[in-house]
Amino acid sequence: MNYTIESARNIFSSTQVADAVPATTAMFAELNIDDQLAFLWYAYAELGRTITPAAPGKANLQLMEGIFNEIKQMSHEEQTQLMRDLASNADTPISRSYAYFGVNAKLGFWWQLGEWMKEGIVAPMPVGYQMSTQVKAVLEAVQKIDQSQQITVLRNTVVNMGFDPSLADKKQAQINFKFPRTSLSPQFTIEGVTEPTVLKYIEAMNADNFEAAVALFANNGALQPPFQKPIVGREAITAYLRDEGQGLVMKPTKGVSETIEDGYTQHKITGTVETPWFGGNVGMNIAWRFLLNPQGQIYFVAIDLLASPKELLNLTRK
Ligand code: EQ3
């Protein structure tokens, strides 16, 4: 059998992913702009009752100092308009700069605005704000999902802001955050999997060594992030990982390896992944579905956010 990226996407097809994430993100997108901003405020505040993101570090925030100074000098009305412009993908200078921030820079930008909203430096939620029934419905939906899914919804909404989000796929991020690692890479063994390429991939990712991780891919190989289409080719994968892979801690625990046709092998590994924003407080349940070519290179890997912890045990082929 000759594999294509399209056919490779179906390996280990019984994997149950967290469908509630795209469903909730779609509900959010239906809200009007003020309701979207209000939803984010309440969802973030609600999350903050149990976990709060770590401060992104001075060096990272300094990368956006110019824009932050501009914002601090604005009136509350202007700040509110700025937030509306970002959420509605309006074409304004700040909204354009934002579109070129890396994912973590976008999150860091809103983290800072959130802090300033609490302090009253940036326009807070209006006193006496009455939540609409639509906002209530999305909040209820988000309360039903687990924290790793909640933070994924929040992250998706922030990523889609700014002018013009479609540019985000084609560009090299101009502001990229770095998260210095505070501890040694975690030691791991994957029960059931000894394939060197898979082990080297995890090791490289746990050291932010994206060049080493990408060298494991075939030239025409692809990486499929959760809820996204495959990213094809080494150059595009490197740009993606430099932006989104920083500071992740991957803790794979078990897996299964099988030889299939023509010397190809497939491997499904499950475990948890921690983001530098929430550290060990949120362990995201993840599956990696690898298809290796006969040379042992990664032809395809899908990263899935799993529907439930129970899915960590699902290593069946079909
Ligand atoms: C100020 C406030 C509250 C109100 C205002 O009205 C609007 C907004 C937006 C506000 C602020 C909101 C804020 C500050 C939200 C912050 C949210 C954060 C920090 C969310 C972080 C989420 C991080 C996630 C979900 C990371 C997931 C990463 C994964 C699953 C990575 C997986 C990968 C693996 C395992 C690989 O092997 C390869 C690569 C890949 C990256 C895909």
Side-chain angles (χ1 to χ4, degrees), residues 9-16 289 314 316-318:
R9 299 179 79 185
N10 297 323
I11 59 170
F12 297 104
S13 55
S14 73
T15 306
Q16 300 288 312
R289 295 180 285 124
N314 173 9
T316 50
R317 180 168 175 183
K318 284 265 152 45

Side-chain angles (χ1 to χ4, degrees), residues 19 44 62 78 85 99-100 119 153 180 186 195 216 225 229 246 258-259 265 283 285-286 294 314:
D19 292 327
Y44 188 65
Q62 256 164 17
E78 288 168 329
D85 288 343
Y100 283 86
E119 292 168 38
V153 171
E195 166 56 51
L216 300 165
K229 296 213 172 72
Q246 298 277 348
E258 295 165 346
T259 300
T265 59
N285 299 320
I286 296 285
N314 173 9

Side-chain angles (χ1 to χ4, degrees), residues 36-42 44-45 47 53 83 98 104 106-115 117 125 148 150-155 157-158 161 201-202 205 223-226 240-241 244-246 248 250 273-278 284 286 288 301 303 305:
Q36 289 193 354
L37 292 171
F39 163 82
L40 287 164
W41 176 257
Y42 287 108
Y44 188 65
L47 188 77
M83 294 192 263
Y98 180 93
N104 288 311
K106 288 178 176 168
L107 291 167
F109 174 89
W110 280 107
W111 176 87
Q112 182 62 86
L113 259 53
E115 293 300 298
M117 283 173 81
M125 284 296 294
S148 64
Q150 290 177 351
I151 64 168
T152 308
V153 171
L154 280 181
R155 182 174 182 271
T157 62
V158 165
M161 290 184 190
Y201 171 86
I202 302 286
M205 291 298 296
L223 178 146
Q224 177 178 292
Y240 173 81
L241 292 179
E244 310 232 6
Q246 298 277 348
L248 296 172
M250 307 194 181
V273 172
E274 295 163 9
T275 134
W277 291 101
F278 297 100
M284 294 178 275
I286 296 285
W288 293 263
V301 57
I303 293 100
L305 181 65

